[in-house]
Amino acid sequence: MVKEELRITVPTVFRCPISLDVMKSPVSLCTGVTYDRSSIQQWLESGHDTCPATMQVLPSKDFVPNLTLHRLINLWLQSSTPRPGSGSPRLLPATPPAIFDAQAKILMEEIESESCVDALCKVAEYVSCCEENRRFVVRFGGFVEVIAGVLRRKCVEIEALEMAVRVLDLILSENGVKERLNKLIFKSNYQNDFLSTIVLILQNGSLNSKLKSVRVLDSIALDSETKRKLADSESLLSTLLHLLKTSNNQSLNDAVTSILTTVSITRSVKSRLIQNGAVGILSKSITEKSLKLLAILCGCSEGRSAMSSEPKCAAKIVEKLLKVSKTATEDAVSVLWSMCWLTKDEKVKEEVIKGNGLTKILVVMQREEEGNVKMMCRDLVKALRAGSKDWCLGSYETRTTHIRPC
């Protein structure tokens, strides 16, 4: 007589508060709450600046590995894995693969038919349940390829396209999916059809579908060849810039800015972005993502020239100093250095000084170890002091009280 398999309860502390799955790589925010690394990274990269569990505004987006909890989870998983011949309980998937095999084949056939919306909805609901379901779909032969194939078909209703993107977005974090999609789309003859579909969703889809489409596109841009192919699509680039200009949704804007940063690997791409008004668009709302792209665009003369016509942007960047992550601070310093030291733009210098930028740059310089950022800070101090005859250290609430003008 076969023993009935036992289900075991997963300790709540082992589950990620976002995905509700057992954590693979637990990390803790400054609030003390622990999340799975992939889940909290996706949360922060989508533009949020709060702790999902407590909704506290994060003074820092850095997180540290929770090694103790990681060890406890590994010990628990080992104890939950049955030895041959033992009756130990084990974790069971939400839907047993043996039951779903036949259903999967039927769903794949339905997805390949003209009326595929219902089948895609079922798959989306299935993979959204738990990690085990997502793994099953990824490992089931040809399933990912069938779903991606919807996006290269013509005359498919927008609901089906949106649902296919939703499924792909849900399974992106599984091993090998990004590489498979990259090969399927960009190493084949279907690239133009796929990009045309993505542009269609970005123009006519829902806000959520637009966000997921951009996220999928950014995730599968794994190499320089793929990035160049994306940048070569005029319709895609213009649609992304139009979204950035017209959207009021910060998550979507951050996702668009992220993919524009990803494809900005050649001077010609940067020039095209600048010519299409990217600097002016980015200057309206300074975020960590936009600082990254501005730093890249200011690396060429056209970018610095465009920044010169947006002097108020410098004041907004100064306002962000000491309030953003270390990486974003470096990007902000790089932009200011390009404008004040390389270009020696007097209007930009004036805005930086008026915004108490010199004091903040001194604080950043004091924090930094020797390197490029510290060097740029020194250059900025020289440039800003030269631009202000009656210079004095402005007031700024900081514990770094030992910094004084020389």
Side-chain angles (χ1 to χ4, degrees):
M1 182 175 178
V2 180
K3 291 184 179 180
E4 183 181 357
E5 292 177 320
L6 302 176
R7 295 181 183 272
I8 62 174
T9 303
V10 179
T12 305
V13 71
F14 292 172
R15 291 187 183 274
C16 172
I18 298 175
S19 67
L20 301 181
D21 293 326
V22 176
M23 289 183 276
K24 297 178 185 176
S25 178
V27 294
S28 299
L29 291 178
C30 58
T31 56
V33 182
T34 298
Y35 302 91
D36 201 12
R37 183 185 295 271
S38 60
S39 296
I40 194 60
Q41 277 182 335
Q42 186 171 336
W43 170 269
L44 296 174
E45 288 173 0
S46 64
H48 297 94
D49 61 354
T50 56
C51 172
T54 65
M55 294 312 293
Q56 289 177 260
V57 176
L58 296 171
S60 169
K61 292 186 178 181
D62 294 335
F63 45 75
V64 294
N66 191 329
L67 300 178
T68 301
L69 184 57
H70 198 182
R71 283 194 293 270
L72 290 173
I73 291 174
N74 285 337
L75 288 172
W76 176 80
L77 287 172
Q78 291 169 16
S79 67
S80 300
T81 303
R83 297 180 181 85
S86 73
S88 301
R90 67 183 180 89
L91 287 171
L92 295 178
T95 304
I99 296 175
F100 192 72
D101 281 356
Q103 295 174 356
K105 292 176 182 177
I106 294 172
L107 285 172
M108 287 170 67
E109 292 175 1
E110 291 178 356
I111 291 171
E112 290 180 313
S113 68
E114 291 185 9
S115 302
C116 56
V117 176
D118 290 342
L120 285 166
C121 286
K122 291 176 184 177
V123 176
E125 183 179 358
Y126 179 76
V127 297
S128 64
C129 287
C130 65
E131 185 175 356
E132 191 69 27
N133 289 2
R134 292 190 284 275
R135 286 179 182 171
F136 173 73
V137 167
V138 169
R139 292 171 183 171
F140 196 90
F143 215 145
V144 173
E145 286 71 16
V146 167
I147 295 166
V150 175
L151 298 175
R152 65 172 187 251
R153 280 154 50 185
K154 297 179 180 178
C155 303
V156 179
E157 49 193 318
I158 189 73
E159 291 82 5
L161 300 177
E162 290 180 310
M163 200 55 63
V165 166
R166 181 188 171 195
V167 174
L168 294 179
D169 181 64
L170 285 166
I171 63 175
L172 271 177
S173 60
E174 296 303 317
N175 288 338
V177 172
K178 295 174 185 176
E179 290 77 10
R180 284 167 67 181
L181 289 175
N182 178 280
K183 183 178 180 180
L184 181 68
I185 295 164
F186 296 104
K187 306 296 189 293
S188 67
N189 298 323
Y190 302 115
Q191 172 191 321
N192 292 335
D193 293 334
F194 175 79
L195 292 180
S196 296
T197 298
I198 294 296
V199 169
L200 179 65
I201 297 173
L202 294 178
Q203 291 173 341
N204 304 304
S206 66
L207 173 62
N208 200 32
S209 296
K210 292 176 182 178
L211 177 59
K212 293 181 188 302
S213 297
V214 174
R215 200 154 57 199
V216 168
L217 209 55
D218 199 7
S219 297
I220 63 177
L222 301 176
D223 51 63
S224 56
E225 181 186 355
T226 303
K227 293 171 185 177
R228 280 194 293 269
K229 288 180 177 180
L230 289 175
D232 287 342
S233 173
E234 287 292 344
S235 59
L236 176 63
L237 220 58
S238 60
T239 301
L240 289 170
L241 282 171
H242 178 72
L243 275 179
L244 194 60
K245 184 177 181 179
T246 58
S247 171
N248 294 320
N249 183 274
Q250 193 58 57
S251 295
L252 178 58
N253 289 344
D254 280 346
V256 171
T257 305
S258 178
I259 192 172
L260 290 176
T261 302
T262 298
V263 301
S264 297
I265 59 172
T266 64
R267 187 181 183 89
S268 62
V269 176
K270 297 173 193 175
S271 297
R272 282 161 54 205
L273 289 177
I274 294 163
Q275 289 167 9
N276 283 282
V279 171
I281 296 170
L282 293 168
S283 298
K284 292 179 181 177
S285 176
I286 300 298
T287 64
E288 295 202 3
K289 298 285 187 183
S290 61
L291 281 171
K292 184 70 175 177
L293 185 51
L294 282 171
I296 291 173
L297 297 181
C298 281
C300 57
S301 56
E302 300 101 307
R304 294 191 291 273
S305 178
M307 274 288 291
S308 295
S309 62
E310 301 283 346
K312 292 291 182 184
C313 179
K316 295 177 182 177
I317 294 175
V318 168
E319 187 180 346
K320 288 289 182 179
L321 276 175
L322 307 180
K323 295 180 181 178
V324 292
S325 67
K326 178 178 173 61
T327 301
T329 298
E330 292 172 1
D331 293 328
V333 169
S334 177
V335 174
L336 295 176
W337 180 81
S338 296
M339 299 307 301
C340 298
W341 181 257
L342 285 183
T343 307
K344 295 179 171 54
D345 191 299
E346 295 302 325
K347 288 183 179 179
V348 172
K349 288 183 187 179
E350 184 180 341
E351 291 295 331
V352 173
I353 293 170
K354 280 176 18 182
N356 201 18
L358 187 48
T359 305
K360 294 183 180 182
I361 289 165
L362 283 167
V363 175
V364 173
M365 185 170 69
Q366 181 67 18
R367 289 179 176 178
E368 290 292 326
E369 297 179 0
E370 287 298 330
N372 288 335
V373 177
K374 193 152 192 166
M375 178 204 74
M376 288 189 288
C377 285
R378 289 194 187 110
D379 291 341
L380 276 168
V381 170
K382 293 175 186 176
L384 295 174
R385 281 179 175 174
S388 177
K389 294 180 180 179
D390 301 322
W391 177 81
C392 63
L393 189 65
S395 62
Y396 187 78
E397 189 175 343
T398 174
R399 295 180 180 177
T400 316
T401 56
H402 59 282
I403 298 177
R404 292 289 184 269
C406 300

